[in-house]
């Protein structure tokens, strides 16, 4: 179902182009805040509401209004269940109970908190894996995506963040080529 649309050997080069393109002080500060919030959540075994909102802002500013509706105790409990779940469906599903969290946001939280274990779910990444139209997300689809990204990451000998950057950059380059 998921087929890399560019040569595996291009993953590091594309990821490096992403890093060079995205280099600015604001992005660096947002990344640093998100990574710090995720590290704290990993250490504590849950996210506080402030940390949760930091991760949500990192993924999608437009969902912040929904994310703010969550009560602090609910954020803490839902993320604690997610971070300790052995069952992958529960791990993602617990996050999906939070306002403002759909599959892409849940993937971002898991990506940041569980270092190098989960890919970001994004329309650009899907396009770069041969999925031109975003489907209705289900656990089965997300899990197949996770497993495909883990396989590609291993085969390319890169971490998940590097793969995510390469997938995003390839799609972005294709969009830019269409406009020129």
């Amino acid at each position: 179902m998921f087929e890399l649309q560019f040569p595996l050997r291009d993953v590091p080069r594309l990821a490096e182009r992403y890093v060079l393109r995205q280099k600015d002080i604001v992005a660096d500060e947002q990344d640093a805040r998100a990574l710090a919030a995720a590290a704290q959540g990993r250490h504590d075994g849950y996210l506080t509401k402030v940390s949760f909102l930091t991760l949500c802002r990192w993924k999608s500013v437009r969902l912040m209004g929904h994310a703010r509706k969550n009560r602090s105790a609910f954020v803490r409990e839902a993320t604690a269940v997610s971070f300790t779940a052995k069952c992958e469906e529960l791990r993602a599903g617990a996050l999906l109970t939070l306002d403002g969290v759909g599959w892409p946001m849940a993937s971002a939280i898991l990506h940041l908190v569980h270092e190098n274990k989960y890919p970001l779910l994004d329309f650009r990444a899907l396009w770069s894996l041969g999925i031109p139209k975003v489907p209705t997300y289900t656990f089965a689809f997300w899990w197949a995506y996770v497993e495909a990204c883990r396989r590609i990451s291993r085969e390319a000998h890169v971490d998940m963040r590097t793969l995510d950057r390469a997938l995003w950059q390839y799609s972005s380059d294709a969009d830019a080529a269409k406009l020129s």
Side-chain angles (χ1 to χ4, degrees):
M1 175 192 289
F2 299 99
E3 186 176 328
L4 193 61
Q5 301 297 295
F6 56 89
L8 192 62
R9 69 179 179 280
D10 289 352
V11 169
R13 180 185 59 79
L14 286 163
E16 180 60 27
R17 288 194 51 240
Y18 172 93
V19 170
L20 292 173
R21 178 182 177 174
Q22 300 297 323
K23 204 71 174 150
D24 74 29
I25 294 170
V26 173
D28 286 348
E29 289 174 2
Q30 289 175 338
D31 280 355
R33 281 193 296 273
L35 291 170
Q40 188 65 52
R42 191 169 40 256
H43 176 267
D44 295 341
Y46 62 87
L47 293 175
T48 64
K49 185 171 180 177
V50 170
S51 293
F52 168 71
L53 292 174
T54 299
L55 300 187
C56 289
R57 184 174 294 107
W58 179 84
K59 175 64 175 152
S60 177
V61 173
R62 66 185 173 81
L63 295 174
M64 291 302 295
H66 295 290
R68 283 189 189 96
K69 294 177 187 176
N70 293 290
R71 292 180 304 105
S72 296
F74 188 61
V75 169
R76 181 179 174 152
E77 190 73 18
T79 58
V81 168
S82 173
F83 297 172
T84 60
K86 303 288 186 254
C87 169
E88 294 290 349
E89 196 164 7
L90 179 58
R91 182 166 289 190
L95 295 174
L96 294 172
T97 64
L98 293 160
D99 280 329
V101 177
W103 285 101
M105 185 67 74
S107 78
I109 293 168
L110 292 172
H111 174 79
L112 292 166
V113 172
H114 297 280
E115 297 172 298
N116 204 37
K117 197 170 179 189
Y118 297 95
L120 293 168
L121 182 59
D122 179 84
F123 77 95
R124 288 196 179 279
L126 291 174
W127 188 89
S128 295
L129 292 172
I131 309 294
K133 184 177 177 215
V134 175
T136 299
Y137 295 128
T138 64
F139 173 76
F141 179 86
W142 174 75
W143 188 243
Y145 172 72
V146 169
E147 288 184 319
C149 288
R150 286 177 179 175
R151 176 185 50 77
I152 295 166
S153 174
R154 281 191 309 274
E155 290 172 358
H157 306 289
V158 297
D159 62 21
M160 196 64 74
R161 187 68 184 125
T162 300
L163 176 61
D164 280 318
R165 288 173 171 164
L167 295 173
W168 192 97
Q169 187 63 50
Y170 181 75
S171 172
S172 178
D173 287 351
D175 279 351
K178 288 177 198 170
L179 295 174
S180 50

